[in-house]
Amino acid sequence: MNNFLSFLKQNRSLGIPSRETASSAFFFRIATDQAGCYVETVDQRQSPLFLDYRSYTGELAQTLRLFEHLRDACLLQVNWERESAGEKIYLADSPYLMWQLARCHNLVNEAMLPIRLVEQPTSLCLELHKERGMLVPKLRIEDEERQPELPVRLLTDSFALRGDQLFRILPIGDHYQQMDAFLAPFEES
């Protein structure tokens, strides 16, 4: 027992140091790049923030704590396909994060519009439309009648986003990222 106060030392994070301890207005923004769907913490100007979870309570604190843990884990991995290790958290790598994000009131889409969770679970449909001799597949939410022009984006195997609506869908399996192969137009034979 060298120092009886040693247990008071704070456990320092391996990850990106917090530039801000607290922010009155921050958002969990869901966006897409060439590597897939990701989530990041941003301010009103869409600038990335690295917030300390100790400055918050409830769902926000738990989600920020999970972000810090995922960023630390990301820094310990070598990934040649993704440039911004630690800034963006890809939902394909952490699908369990969606359940936590769905509870947060400050979840927004790429246009910074608030995302609301549709409580009723639903399923996806793949429709085929004939256009100029080609069959064009379209992915839609089963109950989708009001907004057929908005595209459906698969975030994880259990969540889909359409505009500002987050849908819980029946699980479609781990290979949901290959859905684009089924959405390519093909000739009618």
Side-chain angles (χ1 to χ4, degrees):
M1 190 162 154
N2 296 344
N3 184 353
F4 73 97
L5 295 177
S6 63
F7 69 92
L8 293 177
K9 281 187 179 178
Q10 284 195 6
N11 184 9
R12 297 286 179 199
S13 172
L14 295 173
I16 300 166
S18 296
R19 286 184 259 176
E20 309 227 0
T21 54
S23 176
S24 60
F26 77 93
F27 304 93
F28 296 111
R29 184 173 73 112
I30 294 178
T32 306
D33 64 11
Q34 67 277 5
C37 290
Y38 63 90
V39 64
E40 63 183 343
T41 51
V42 297
D43 61 13
Q44 293 158 332
R45 297 174 310 220
Q46 299 187 29
S47 300
L49 293 174
F50 299 100
L51 301 170
D52 189 347
Y53 67 88
R54 294 173 205 82
S55 300
Y56 299 91
T57 60
E59 300 298 336
L60 295 178
Q62 296 307 314
T63 306
L64 288 170
R65 179 181 291 201
L66 187 53
F67 268 51
E68 184 174 305
H69 172 72
L70 292 170
R71 284 187 182 118
D72 288 348
C74 184
L75 289 174
L76 298 174
Q77 297 175 355
V78 176
N79 191 340
W80 302 107
E81 297 173 2
R82 297 182 185 150
E83 305 170 5
S84 57
E87 290 180 16
K88 300 173 182 176
I89 297 173
Y90 287 88
L91 296 171
D93 298 337
S94 309
Y96 51 86
L97 182 59
M98 278 309 305
W99 289 103
Q100 189 72 24
L101 287 169
R103 295 184 196 155
C104 294
H105 67 279
N106 57 347
L107 183 63
V108 296
N109 62 13
E110 286 180 279
M112 296 295 286
L113 297 173
I115 294 175
R116 66 177 181 85
L117 176 66
V118 176
E119 294 294 330
Q120 187 66 26
T122 188
S123 58
L124 295 173
C125 295
L126 187 63
E127 292 182 343
L128 297 175
H129 299 278
K130 192 173 181 179
E131 293 179 15
R132 296 185 214 122
M134 301 284 285
L135 290 176
V136 180
K138 181 185 177 195
L139 191 63
R140 72 171 188 85
I141 302 293
E142 188 176 73
D143 65 348
E144 179 181 6
E145 296 299 327
R146 297 172 295 164
Q147 300 176 344
E149 71 279 354
L150 291 176
V152 174
R153 190 169 23 164
L154 294 174
L155 301 178
T156 67
D157 65 335
S158 300
F159 282 94
L161 183 66
R162 183 188 68 206
D164 63 348
Q165 295 177 311
L166 182 64
F167 292 90
R168 292 183 359 218
I169 58 174
L170 300 175
I172 57 176
D174 291 336
H175 297 292
Y176 70 92
Q177 293 176 304
Q178 280 75 35
M179 184 61 79
D180 290 342
F182 294 99
L183 297 175
F186 56 94
E187 290 183 20
E188 182 179 14
S189 50

